Amino acid sequence: MSLLDSLVRTARRRSPWLFHLNAGSCNGCDIELVACLTPRYDVEQLGIRLEASPRHADIIVVSGPVTRTTLEALQTVYAQVPDPKVVVALGSCPASCNMFAGSPTVVGPLDRIIPVDVYVPGCPPRPDAIVAGIADAVAILCGDVPRPEPTHVPVVADACATGGLS
Amino acid sequence: MTVVRGLISLLVFPGALFALPAGWFMMWLQRKINARAQGRIGPPFFQPFFDFVKLLAKEPVVRPRLQGFLMTVLPLAAVASTLGAIALLPVFPKAGGFSGDLVLLVSLIEVGPLCAVLGGFVSRSLYGGIGASREAVLTLAYNVPFLIALFALVASAGSFSLAGVALAAAWPVRVLALIALVACIPVKLHLNPFSAASAEQEIYAGSTTEYDGPRLALWELAHALEWVALTGLVASLAFPVADAAWPVRVVVFVAVSVALVVVLSFAAASTARLKLAQTARWFLLCGSGIALSALVVAFVRL
Amino acid sequence: MNILNIITGNVARGPQTVRFPGREAPAAAYRGSVTMDAAKCLACGICDYVCVSRAIAVTPGAASCEWTYDPGRCTYCGRCVDHCPVAAVTQAGDRGDSYARSGAQRATVTVPYPACPQCGRPAMPYNEAVLGAAFGDVSAELRERIHLCERCRRRATTAALKANFGAAAETGRSDDGR
Ligand code: SF4
Ligand code: SF4
Ligand code: SF4
């Protein structure tokens, strides 16, 4: 590995910027993510910054079961984040739709729509679980840990065009 | 000889070789002070450097050719002009400089915000546009006291060269003018309370919303250099050391710049963001008031 | 100028941050992921019934019962803990680790049915306390029968019925009554 290569890897490891997308979450996960910025957990100690624009981000943090109304935003944001990028699913909702499963307004779970790399357990997850999950995502981002095989079946890829899932 | 000296001040001190690490250090210091004021640990020491490297290593988003060109050239222009401004700083007032370099410095410093405004508009993002228009309004507002204060210094020193101003401006004028200048710095650096142009809760990342990877890295670089240029301008005007050995002058310059960063950071940490209209009004009334009093003192003493 | 007091206080006190990867244990009442003790479980399916997000599935089989739980579906509400009649379900006192695949943490526990004391075939597990909660006082006879398999229990009931029927016929009824 050349020197430049290892410099880039170190930089990626030490400077992950997040973009948070609320895909129909109940706000529980969102509040816990913001709690990671508080003095107690302070993710800035890991160089993490919550960015306002997906163009600046390395890690997309998604909360919520992906509703019909957020589907298009989710796909747009995923496309807008420049490579390399990692997706972190926050809580039970993106993993399985949680208690919203089967609702006609929900099109999740998340891995039907975009490939997911790390799931953080909890409903909502504890802030330190979120930080640990992001640390796992960073390991994938900088290449320390191989990316999990995508199980992503793009069933919902055309859902925006057709107006939703059947 | 002057060419060599010019190149040295552009590339070595206070130019690129010094200004890059210094700018990163100042950005880190500001974030660290902000964190400490809030009771947090804050970012590690090399954070801005790693941010920059990481952004450079990201894959650029494919854009239409003209837009991609403009979105690369504008931040580059901001970097280049700010670097030029740094090179003109009168750290060694007796050595370099030429008559009128003050005007050049001011115009170079203005190129950065101008590029940010244009950059916001060419990115064709709604938030970029709003950020750019806010940036434009604020640039107009703070330039009133900024230019009046500089003019007061020029009037007092009777010279349009930076070295002349640094050495000859009368102290009452200088103090008042420097207060006005320091008040203008937070606008350019997007610090509280004058950070309406980059209010992430309202308009996301303002004019840089659409910038990604390497292009954003250039903006970050320009931002780091602006820290050095602006604090350096105030430092070299506030404590001109003409007769000491060069290491002393360098140390004084750096120490005053860093002290200014500390003051600005604490001011930013202890204030909330003013609205756009409030900011503009503040600069047109209070800021200009201070600058005008400097001007009056300058003319009274003439 | 209250903010200045806060800031000077913060600077003087130093950062309050817990350094990563160090962490604080959650509060005592923390509701973590669910585990089940197969030795206690009665395969009654109440946890499945009360679970809002269907994180628990209880699938009874012929000789055993599959109890499946997916933390990725759980709301960590604790309803299953509250409603399990034998306190077989407990919640962890701490958070779990992140995982890479949806459903990766799904766990299945097999609850084997105990052998029927009479015929040896698998019998649904039962518990006196539950029976008591349902029917009040449990007689000695009933206490014996709850551990039988369904078939043996039916037989025992039929036998008892027959015995009682015979006794009733002998004591009360006359053939003239028709
Ligand atoms: S996982 Fe729980 S807390 Fe998070 S959004 Fe879903 S329901 Fe809300
Ligand atoms: S805690 Fe709540 S959601 Fe989780 S398994 Fe029990 S009942 Fe279901
Ligand atoms: S409620 Fe308790 S006893 Fe009944 S199936 Fe669930 S774990 Fe077993």
Side-chain angles (χ1 to χ4, degrees):
Chain A
M1 198 197 309
S2 73
L3 195 66
L4 193 67
D5 230 29
S6 63
L7 177 67
V8 167
R9 281 168 73 120
T10 314
R12 285 193 180 140
R13 195 176 300 128
R14 308 252 319 235
S15 161
W17 290 1
L18 312 184
F19 181 79
H20 170 222
L21 185 84
N22 176 337
S25 133
C26 78
N27 236 305
C29 287
D30 311 348
I31 289 171
E32 295 304 310
L33 181 65
V34 176
C36 295
L37 309 179
T38 55
R40 175 66 70 204
Y41 299 100
D42 187 23
V43 286
E44 207 177 11
Q45 63 175 307
L46 301 177
I48 297 172
R49 240 161 73 171
L50 202 56
E51 277 295 317
S53 162
R55 291 283 192 214
H56 303 185
D58 307 294
I59 298 179
I60 315 167
V61 181
V62 185
S63 55
V66 189
T67 52
R68 269 169 192 262
T69 39
T70 53
L71 173 63
E72 198 179 340
L74 174 67
Q75 287 169 327
T76 316
V77 161
Y78 183 74
Q80 276 178 339
V81 174
D83 286 328
K85 57 189 162 195
V86 177
V87 177
V88 176
L90 225 51
S92 295
C93 278
S96 64
C97 297
N98 207 345
M99 69 280 218
F100 309 113
S103 159
T105 58
V106 162
V107 295
L110 184 63
D111 62 356
R112 292 177 78 193
I113 297 149
I114 57 174
V116 183
D117 301 300
V118 176
Y119 290 91
V120 181
C123 177
R126 283 180 65 74
D128 69 85
I130 299 178
V131 180
I134 290 170
D136 291 351
V138 170
I140 295 175
L141 185 73
C142 67
D144 288 351
V145 172
R147 196 181 280 270
E149 280 294 311
T151 55
H152 165 49
V153 201
V155 262
V156 201
D158 310 319
C160 304
T162 56
L165 279 188
S166 55
Chain B
M1 194 57 208
T2 45
V3 175
V4 174
R5 200 180 287 279
L7 273 181
I8 286 179
S9 58
L10 186 66
L11 297 178
V12 184
F13 185 89
L17 203 62
F18 163 77
L20 272 184
W24 284 327
F25 171 75
M26 287 173 178
M27 277 166 86
W28 169 79
L29 190 62
Q30 189 266 328
R31 284 173 69 177
K32 191 80 175 173
I33 288 175
N34 197 25
R36 282 298 161 103
Q38 295 170 352
R40 300 187 282 123
I41 289 186
F45 184 72
F46 289 106
Q47 192 58 49
F49 169 69
F50 283 129
D51 286 350
F52 178 72
V53 173
K54 178 212 69 179
L55 284 174
L56 269 191
K58 292 216 79 159
E59 283 192 19
V61 169
V62 181
R63 294 189 178 278
R65 220 172 341 138
L66 179 62
Q67 194 192 18
F69 173 74
L70 284 176
M71 285 174 74
T72 314
V73 162
L74 284 170
L76 263 183
V79 170
S81 65
T82 316
L83 205 55
I86 292 173
L88 288 176
L89 292 178
V91 189
F92 308 109
K94 286 207 173 144
F98 47 90
S99 175
D101 57 0
L102 181 84
V103 182
L104 182 59
L105 179 97
V106 170
S107 42
L108 282 177
I109 284 184
E110 284 318 308
V111 172
L114 192 67
C115 286
V117 172
L118 291 177
F121 281 121
V122 299
S123 71
R124 298 187 58 85
S125 147
L126 183 61
Y127 301 106
I130 298 175
S133 66
R134 285 189 179 197
E135 184 98 38
V137 170
L138 290 183
T139 307
L140 282 182
Y142 82 76
N143 260 320
V144 175
F146 193 72
L147 294 181
I148 295 178
L150 284 177
F151 189 63
L153 287 173
V154 166
S156 164
S159 155
F160 261 108
S161 83
L162 277 162
V165 167
L167 293 176
W171 278 102
V173 182
R174 196 188 290 234
V175 169
L176 282 171
L178 283 177
I179 291 174
L181 289 186
V182 169
C184 294
I185 294 182
V187 193
K188 289 182 170 273
L189 297 179
H190 296 166
L191 293 176
N192 279 352
F194 305 131
S195 58
S198 67
E200 69 276 4
Q201 291 88 344
E202 303 160 17
I203 52 168
Y204 301 112
S207 55
T208 60
T209 299
E210 269 297 312
Y211 285 80
D212 57 274
R215 297 185 183 113
L216 184 64
L218 290 177
W219 279 128
E220 291 275 314
L221 196 61
H223 189 65
L225 293 176
E226 272 182 348
W227 271 98
V228 182
L230 294 167
T231 53
L233 175 65
V234 173
S236 57
L237 293 183
F239 287 89
V241 205
D243 304 317
W246 69 265
V248 178
R249 280 179 266 176
V250 170
V251 166
V252 168
F253 174 76
V254 172
V256 176
S257 302
V258 170
L260 200 57
V261 174
V262 174
V263 170
L264 287 172
S265 306
F266 272 112
S270 56
T271 48
R273 178 179 301 126
L274 290 178
K275 282 191 250 176
L276 185 66
Q278 289 171 324
T279 313
R281 202 177 310 130
W282 193 92
F283 276 104
L284 293 180
L285 296 178
C286 305
S288 305
I290 301 170
L292 272 177
S293 57
L295 193 63
V296 170
V297 175
F299 277 112
V300 168
R301 290 173 60 97
L302 268 184
Chain C
M1 290 291 115
N2 194 19
I3 181 76
L4 292 185
N5 293 339
I6 297 175
I7 288 181
T8 44
N10 279 342
V11 173
R13 219 174 313 133
Q16 307 292 300
T17 312
V18 180
R19 256 188 202 285
F20 186 82
R23 54 187 294 267
E24 283 181 334
Y30 182 75
R31 299 197 303 252
S33 65
V34 169
T35 40
M36 196 272 285
D37 182 359
K40 287 190 191 164
C41 178
L42 302 182
C44 66
I46 289 177
C47 48
D48 180 339
Y49 179 71
V50 297
C51 178
V52 271
S53 54
R54 305 214 190 125
I56 296 181
V58 177
T59 333
S64 63
C65 171
E66 305 270 282
W67 183 95
T68 312
Y69 167 68
D70 183 3
R73 273 200 94 133
C74 185
T75 326
Y76 302 89
C77 59
R79 269 166 71 92
C80 50
V81 177
D82 292 348
H83 286 86
C84 176
V86 289
V89 190
T90 42
Q91 275 185 295
D94 207 343
R95 65 169 175 83
D97 287 328
S98 54
Y99 51 104
R101 280 283 142 255
S102 162
Q105 291 185 331
R106 185 178 293 131
T108 302
V109 179
T110 307
V111 183
Y113 296 157
C116 169
Q118 240 163 55
C119 65
R121 272 186 268 247
M124 285 287 278
Y126 230 126
N127 181 308
E128 253 175 65
V130 180
L131 211 63
F135 301 116
D137 284 343
V138 183
S139 69
E141 270 177 307
L142 210 50
R143 190 173 300 144
E144 246 170 50
R145 276 184 211 150
I146 56 171
H147 297 297
L148 300 182
C149 71
E150 249 180 82
R151 204 155 137 259
C152 292
R153 204 182 300 154
R154 212 181 305 130
R155 276 193 183 161
T157 314
T158 318
L161 267 179
K162 272 185 184 162
N164 277 343
F165 184 71
E170 268 164 34
T171 50
R173 290 259 191 92
S174 100
D175 289 335
D176 306 336
R178 272 195 303 189

